[in-house]
Every structure is written in C-alpha cells, then in structure tokens.
Amino acid sequence: MGNLTPGLAVKGIVCLAKQKSCRQRWNIRPSEMSINTLNPIRAIVDGMKLTPNPEKPMIALSIGDPTVFGNLPTDDKVLQAMKDAIDSNKYNGYAPSVGYQKSREVVANFYSCTEAPLEAEDVLLTSGCSQAIDLAITVLCNPGDNILVPCPGFSLYKTLAVSLGIQVKLYTLLPEKSWEIDLQHMESLIDDRTTCLIVNNPSNPCGSVYSKEHLQNILSVASKHCVPILADEIYGDMVFPGCTYQSMASLSSDVPILACGGLAKRWLVPGWRLGWILIHDKNQIFGKEIRQGLVKLSQRILGACTIVQGAIESILNDTPQEFYHRTISFLESNSEICFSELSTVPGLTPVMPSGAMYLMVGIEMEHFPEFQNDVQFTERLVTEQSVFCLPATAFEYPNYFRIVVTVPEEMMVEACTRIREFCQRHYRTCSQDSNELDQ
C-alpha cells in the first residue's frame, strides 16, 4: 500500500471493485450454445405456410409419435407394471444418476448375448434415447472434432453436435440399395479429428434394416481407422418378417460401441422417457475414462424417471410376444399399402421399408415444374389435400418426403388417395413442358 493511509486504501479498493462491476446499462445476451442450437425439422416446418383445405380433415403423416392417433396402445402388462411401481411407493425419491442398480441389471440381462455380454456396470439409464445420444456424443467429442452422420438421418445428431462446437460430416445413404451406406464416401470423410461414427439401424427416416454383411463392412471401416461407433438402435427388433435385426455390438470383434436405445418405440411409450446406453468394449479401448466421463455427464441432470425404472423389470420380462408381433404386423401392412398405392403414382418413387415406422418417397421434381423443391411440394399438398408429409430437406436430403406409417389404416388409404389426386393435377410430362414453353 506504500504510504497510503488504511482508510484511503480501503476506499480505493471499494472504488476499484465498483468500477469493475458497474454497468451503465442492461446487456444480457444468449449463450453461444443456445445461439448454435437449431432443430432442422422445426426450422423447416416453422417456415412453411401450412393452411389445410377446410373441406378436408387434416391427415398428419409427419409425426414420429406412434401414440398420436390412439390406434397403437401399449400392452396392458406394460401399464400394469407402471401401476404396480406407483402403488409400491418405492420409487418416489431420487435414483442414482446412472439409474437404480437393479434396473440396470434388468436391462443388461435383457440385451446381453454371447457375442456381446453385458453387466449392470455397462448400462446407464437416461431420460429417453435422446439423452443417451447426447451423453454419447458429449463424452466422445470436443469442440473442433467431427462426427460422421447418415444423410438422410435423424436431425437430432446435428442439433446436439453443432451446439457443442462439433463439426458434422454427412455420409450418403443409397436409396437404390435400400438405403445402405455408401461406404466409400463414408470412409473418405474420416480424418484425424473424427471421433465418432453414428449408425442408425433400423433407420429414421428411411425404415431400412441393414444386413449382417453390410454391418460387418461398416465395422471394418471403423476398425481400420480406429473410430468408435454410436449405434442408435431405438428401433431395434422393429423389423418386418423376412428381415433380421442384429445389433452392431454382436458383430464387433474390436470396435468399441455405445449403443443407444429405450422404451419409446418398441413399447409405444415415448412420453415415459426411459432410455439407455449400453457400453460394449471387449478390448477395453474405452477403458475407465469414457465410463467415468459418462457417469460425470449423467450427474449434470438426474435423468431417467424413477417410476419407469421401477417398472422396467416387468416391462421387459412380462410383455407378451403377441404385442410385439401385432405392432410389427400393423406397421408392415400400412407400409405395404402406402408403397403399393404410391408406386403407381406418376412422379413418385417410394422406397419400401424393412422396419421402424417410416417410408421415404422420392419426388421427380422435373415433372412438377410448379414447385422448386420438396418443401413447396409438401406445403401445397397441405393446402390442397390437407395431408402433411415431412419434406426430406429437414433431413438434408432434398426431393423426398417422409411418411409415418403409424396412422390408422383407413387414414393411410385416404391419404394415399389424396396424394394421388394431387400428383395427377400437377404432374407434367417433358413434352408438356416443352409445349407450354413454345406457347
């Protein structure tokens, strides 16, 4: 303090403190993370002019929630499990951030197999599969890293990654090969900052189910370049007869995998928000650090609903096979109706799915010259026919649209009829286009 008196010194410190903290006006800004967070589906849909035809009831084929129309209820055993968990009064408090030990054991036992064994310590319970994906991306990647994401693919991957400063590289799926991955293109995107390969099987939005051979080829690329896999398997086992679902982990000899799943789709309870991460790490490549990182990240927010955790044992073990079969049979039937009807519509090219809840339809835009893109096409479809299909621009795959096949059968038939009418009205042959230009 030199020769300053104590009083002056204290006064000077107070003034300095005031000077540092004093602001002349309010200036509250949103965080960089919030600014960088964008849901592509919301960005597209919110910008569309959606005014349904008042003479026709709206049919929404855009919502990936199987419960919306009430025609696909969950099983009574699932409901009873929840009631019993509530009545027990055992699950009203906080659970460990990674989930109850008993609940983790149940999930581990349900998904464990000889090729990919699991124990309770390999399972983290989360608030839905979305949080599982969030934790998996966050534990593997730093700002400036990049991840490989399918195109078309679930938009949440990009939403989460970009908000964290992680670059998204889109690898191409091939509609002519039932949406298999273009492996050469995918491999060309890998560099020394690639920290995660996301594989969604069965697929949203494509409804594709990969063969064992194709999954092995994907694993070979990941193994060659030492890139871990985030396997989004929320639609696991939701495959049509004649197809076989195999988890990626059951085929991997060395590639470490974080497999993300949940109750939402197979058990038809997306609002119950219970998901999981299954850690498959045969060769201890993830080691303790990734596991500890996941635990730490789970502690930011106490995730999975405790009541659903209390019900999970009965849900997984007591749900009858007939429930699963009935759901799959309905989805397959609706998919076949939609594919059959739209296959004969001029200007449309539907791709028959093999599972999940979706069907993608290509638009031959050159035959619909009134519209510049799939967004305008689907926008006008709402205006004229009150049918809303999600434009695939929302999945960064233009000139397609996605149909959700969970609607009641009579609505699916009616929707296809309206789509046909719409296309017949607006379809133009190349010769028609030339004649109109000449005139």
Side-chain angles (χ1 to χ4, degrees), residues 85 104 119 136-137 213 278 360 374 400 432:
R104 295 166 71 196
E119 298 179 357
I137 292 174
E213 180 183 7
L278 309 179
M360 287 279 277
D374 56 307
Y400 277 76
Q432 281 179 298

Side-chain angles (χ1 to χ4, degrees), residues 308-328:
V308 187
Q309 289 188 56
I312 191 70
E313 181 172 14
S314 181
I315 291 173
L316 296 186
N317 296 335
D318 297 340
T319 301
Q321 288 298 315
E322 174 56 29
F323 166 73
Y324 304 127
H325 294 156
R326 190 167 58 246
T327 303
I328 292 299

Side-chain angles (χ1 to χ4, degrees), residues 115-137:
E115 301 81 8
L118 290 166
E119 298 179 357
E121 289 67 30
D122 302 317
V123 178
L124 277 82
L125 300 183
T126 60
S127 180
C129 187
S130 295
Q131 192 198 15
I133 294 168
D134 185 15
L135 294 179
I137 292 174

Side-chain angles (χ1 to χ4, degrees), residues 40-293:
I41 293 179
R42 287 262 55 90
I44 296 294
V45 173
D46 290 349
M48 296 175 72
K49 299 174 183 177
L50 300 176
T51 308
N53 184 338
E55 297 180 1
K56 297 187 177 185
M58 184 70 173
I59 301 177
L61 303 179
S62 57
I63 307 169
D65 181 346
T67 71
V68 168
F69 296 96
N71 60 312
L72 288 174
T74 191
D75 192 75
D76 289 342
K77 291 281 189 182
V78 177
L79 296 176
Q80 189 59 50
M82 282 289 280
K83 294 172 185 176
D84 292 344
I86 293 170
D87 290 341
S88 74
N89 278 318
K90 293 179 181 178
Y91 306 106
N92 297 331
Y94 291 121
S97 64
V98 294
Y100 289 121
Q101 179 71 10
K102 176 63 175 175
S103 304
R104 295 166 71 196
E105 288 176 4
V106 168
V107 173
N109 291 336
F110 190 80
Y111 285 101
S112 186
C113 62
T114 304
E115 301 81 8
L118 290 166
E119 298 179 357
E121 289 67 30
D122 302 317
V123 178
L124 277 82
L125 300 183
T126 60
S127 180
C129 187
S130 295
Q131 192 198 15
I133 294 168
D134 185 15
L135 294 179
I137 292 174
T138 307
V139 80
L140 293 174
C141 308
N142 287 307
D145 289 340
N146 65 75
I147 63 174
L148 308 187
V149 170
C151 180
F154 185 37
S155 61
L156 182 69
Y157 310 138
K158 184 173 182 178
T159 298
L160 295 172
V162 172
S163 70
L164 295 168
I166 299 162
Q167 181 187 4
V168 172
K169 293 185 175 183
L170 302 174
Y171 63 81
T172 303
L173 306 184
L174 303 170
E176 67 275 14
K177 293 187 176 181
S178 299
W179 301 108
E180 284 190 349
I181 296 172
D182 182 338
L183 295 171
Q184 186 175 359
H185 179 238
M186 183 184 78
E187 186 170 9
S188 73
L189 299 175
I190 298 173
D191 61 24
D192 58 357
R193 297 215 64 175
T194 302
T195 51
C196 176
L197 164 61
I198 296 181
V199 179
N200 180 206
N201 180 53
S203 164
N204 173 16
C206 302
S208 55
V209 179
Y210 293 149
S211 67
K212 178 180 179 179
E213 180 183 7
H214 191 57
L215 290 171
Q216 288 172 328
N217 290 336
I218 297 167
L219 286 163
S220 294
V221 174
S223 177
K224 176 182 176 181
H225 296 278
C226 300
V227 177
I229 288 177
L230 189 169
D232 180 356
E233 299 177 336
I234 186 64
Y235 297 97
D237 293 306
M238 293 183 72
V239 300
F240 302 159
C243 297
T244 302
Y245 164 75
Q246 287 191 281
S247 68
M248 292 216 75
S250 68
L251 300 174
S252 176
S253 59
D254 64 326
V255 178
I257 295 171
L258 298 180
C260 300
L263 291 181
K265 303 303 166 68
R266 193 180 183 202
W267 286 268
L268 305 176
V269 286
W272 288 11
R273 309 314 300 145
L274 190 131
W276 47 74
I277 298 176
L278 309 179
I279 305 171
H280 296 280
D281 190 22
K282 292 177 182 177
N283 298 336
Q284 302 301 310
I285 296 171
F286 282 147
K288 291 182 179 179
E289 289 187 338
I290 294 297
R291 290 174 181 269
Q292 291 172 350

Side-chain angles (χ1 to χ4, degrees), residues 312-389:
I312 191 70
E313 181 172 14
S314 181
I315 291 173
L316 296 186
N317 296 335
D318 297 340
T319 301
Q321 288 298 315
E322 174 56 29
F323 166 73
Y324 304 127
H325 294 156
R326 190 167 58 246
T327 303
I328 292 299
S329 177
F330 174 84
L331 295 174
E332 181 186 33
S333 175
N334 253 12
S335 297
E336 288 176 341
I337 290 170
C338 185
F339 177 78
S340 176
E341 290 293 322
L342 298 187
S343 290
T344 58
V345 174
L348 297 185
T349 308
V351 182
M352 180 64 190
S354 300
M357 313 185 318
Y358 311 100
L359 183 148
M360 287 279 277
V361 182
I363 312 168
E364 298 170 15
M365 294 304 303
E366 65 272 19
H367 291 297
F368 299 98
E370 291 177 69
F371 313 116
Q372 292 182 1
N373 51 45
D374 56 307
V375 176
Q376 289 187 4
F377 181 98
T378 52
E379 189 176 70
R380 186 78 71 83
L381 181 59
V382 173
T383 302
E384 295 184 11
Q385 296 289 346
S386 295
V387 175
F388 185 27
C389 305

